[in-house]
Structure formats: structure tokens, C-alpha cells
Amino acid sequence: MATRSPLTTESPAGDAFYTPPVPLPDGSPGDLIRARPLDNAAAAVPGGENWLVLHRSEGADGSPVATSGVIALPDRTAHPVPAGGYPVISWAHGTVGVANRCAPSRDRGDTGASPMNAYPLTLLGHFLERGWAVAMTDYEALGTGTADRLHPYLCGRSEAMGVLDIVTAARRLFSGEVGERFAVVGHSQGGQAALFAAHHAPGRVEGLVGAAAIAPANHLLGLVRGGATLDQVNTGFAFTPLFLAGAIGGDPTIDPEQVLSPRAFQELWPHVPHRSRAGLSRPDSWGGIRGTEQFRSGYPGPPNAHQAKFDRQVEAMNPDLPITVRSASPRPPTTNASAPTPHRCRAPTHWSRN
């Protein structure tokens, strides 16, 4: 399929693409740093023109960051560019872990996250068949992370910036072809991200017409604290270090050594930057530790100072948010949005304007 992006600057080959320039180029959220045709078949939305992008966004701490993702356009022969440009679906993916190689755009089908990354591609291909463009963020520091900067898992504002800013990147990469109307769709981690994105959209990215949060992650602190009392192993304890990575993203003063037990910190915490969520669930990792052995002594009773900060960050991951959607004119198919309407979303929830 012929590509017609106006971006002509050369981009590094291979995984070097994901290493941003230092310092980042000046600009605003959504500005493209680099782009190239996607050469990873495992990550491509079927039937579309897929581009790998690195763009400016905003991190959990509010600082400028480079975030990666994929932008896919429909087949222009089957779906000529409509008046006003293609509407966009911004897809927010589910939990894969925090290891760079598990990022959806970077996963080549050989990681423990590959099934999770592959399952939505059929759905996303159907969006292209409807004549909609698709934007898929990897999220902050997933694909682009470093040893001292892990993906801030379930840090809602950080996820929202990735979900929203890649829409701006799509409009700038395909100026005149990608339009002003967009919707957000996400599952699991992405369901939670979709709610945060809808909350933060006004004033950042205009044109939101709906959000669908499928099985959004929610009310997690009770699960963490309850799991800490179980005197048995459980594959679900793989989420404990992911929650901790996200908590540190929200509050870098949290010391993981003071949150986790000596065994969990010394033997298992080092797995986090290298393994998928599925890999963390294995018996030789977090799937082989008892719930009562995950945290420093006393938790979930009176927590120490670092555990208390961890708890506050996990509580903040709950998507209890007001959301306002403004209708776009002309309206996309099936929407019934009209005047701006605020909704308060209390997970678990499925919310949309369709």
C-alpha cells in the first residue's frame, strides 16, 4: 500500500527508534519527533497503512516526554478521505507489563505479552473497515522506558496524555486527512485509561465524541491489601509490582525496598523491567510468592511511611471522574451527543455516547 505521509525526516532503524533525542526538540504535546512506516507485522492493524511514531507528550510528573505508538489509516482506495477527514479511534491497550519489549508497537510476537497485544487487532481492523483511522499509544515509558524510569502503570493522567496526544500526532502527521472527531476505546488498564482520557480531553484535544471503557481497572487498593493477607501463592500477585511501578511514577519518593519484603525486593523486583505480566505470574517470579510474603512486616496493618504513600497512589488509580463530552458537527454515525453533558464515572463502568 502506498504511503503518503508528509513527514520526510529519516528515523533510526530497529529499536533505536524508541530512544528519544536528548534534549527533546522544543514543541507542544502531539508534535512529532520521528515517524516511519511500521515494519513490525505483529503490531500492524490489518488492512491499514500503519506508521510507527514517536511524539512529544507529558509525563506523570508534568515534564515533557517522548511517547511511542502506532497510527493506522484506512485503505484510501476503499475509503477515500471524507470531507473533514477520517474520524479517529484512540485505542488504550490492556495490561502487558512495564518491560519495553512488551509495548504493543515493539512486541514482535515473541513475548509473554504477545497474546494480549494481538487480541484487539481484529477489532481495530474493523474500525479501519468502517473508514475510521486508529491511533494506538504505547503509554509513557512503555517502549521508551529506562532503568530509572519505568512505565507508570495505571497512573491515570499519564495514560490520558498518551491516549490524547497521539490523536494530535495523527492530525499533524496526516494533515488534511485525519479529522477533528475522535473517540476513545480501551480495555482493562485501557478501560481505566479511557476514562482518564475522557476526563482530561477538554482543553487539551478537541473533538471527543465518546468513550467506551471495557472492564476498566478499578478499586485496586482493596485487592492489594486483601492479597497481602493471603497465606498462599497466586498468579495475580504479578500485579503487585506493576502497581508499585505506577505508584513510584506518581510519587518518586516511594522507596520500593521499604514497601516490599526483603525477598520480594531482592529476588523478584528486578524481574519487573524485563518480564511481561504473564512472565511475572510464573512460579519462579511473583506467581511463586505467598501474599503474606510480598510486603514488609506489618502491611496491611499500620503501614510504614513508604507503604502509606504507596496506598495513596493506588487509591488515586481509581477512575471516579467527571467526564464532559462535546458533540462535533457533523456527528459521526450512531452518535446522539448534543450539548456538553457532565457525567461522573464510578467504575466498574461502561460509558459511551453511542
Side-chain angles (χ1 to χ4, degrees), residues 119-159:
Y119 88 86
L121 293 178
T122 298
L123 170 66
L124 301 180
H126 287 316
F127 292 146
L128 294 183
E129 291 172 0
R130 295 289 300 269
W132 305 336
V134 173
M136 304 180 289
T137 184
D138 287 333
Y139 303 135
E140 177 191 353
L142 187 54
T144 58
T146 61
D148 58 354
R149 181 171 155 264
L150 295 176
H151 165 52
Y153 178 70
L154 291 177
C155 189
R157 190 177 187 281
S158 165
E159 294 170 327

Side-chain angles (χ1 to χ4, degrees), residues 123-303:
L123 170 66
L124 301 180
H126 287 316
F127 292 146
L128 294 183
E129 291 172 0
R130 295 289 300 269
W132 305 336
V134 173
M136 304 180 289
T137 184
D138 287 333
Y139 303 135
E140 177 191 353
L142 187 54
T144 58
T146 61
D148 58 354
R149 181 171 155 264
L150 295 176
H151 165 52
Y153 178 70
L154 291 177
C155 189
R157 190 177 187 281
S158 165
E159 294 170 327
M161 299 302 101
V163 171
L164 295 171
D165 292 342
I166 197 170
V167 175
T168 301
R171 291 171 178 170
R172 292 175 180 169
L173 182 61
F174 294 101
S175 178
E177 296 184 275
V178 170
E180 295 301 309
R181 296 173 297 157
F182 79 101
V184 177
V185 182
H187 171 242
S188 188
Q189 176 186 3
Q192 181 249 21
L195 295 174
F196 274 95
H199 171 72
H200 286 286
R204 189 174 187 91
V205 182
E206 296 305 316
L208 179 68
V209 297
I214 306 165
N218 66 92
H219 297 97
L220 303 167
L221 182 58
L223 296 176
V224 174
R225 294 176 67 86
T229 68
L230 295 179
D231 189 24
Q232 62 187 51
V233 299
N234 191 301
T235 58
F237 295 150
F239 286 89
T240 296
L242 302 183
F243 295 145
L244 181 53
I248 292 171
D251 182 354
T253 68
I254 296 173
D255 183 351
E257 187 173 7
Q258 299 304 313
V259 175
L260 300 173
S261 70
R263 177 195 169 195
F265 177 74
Q266 294 167 13
E267 298 179 16
L268 306 182
W269 178 247
H271 296 177
V272 178
H274 307 290
R275 295 195 180 195
S276 66
R277 194 282 307 160
L280 295 172
S281 290
R282 289 170 45 181
D284 66 342
S285 191
W286 291 83
I289 192 171
R290 293 177 178 272
T292 51
E293 298 173 340
Q294 298 178 95
F295 297 94
R296 277 193 173 268
S297 180
Y299 189 87

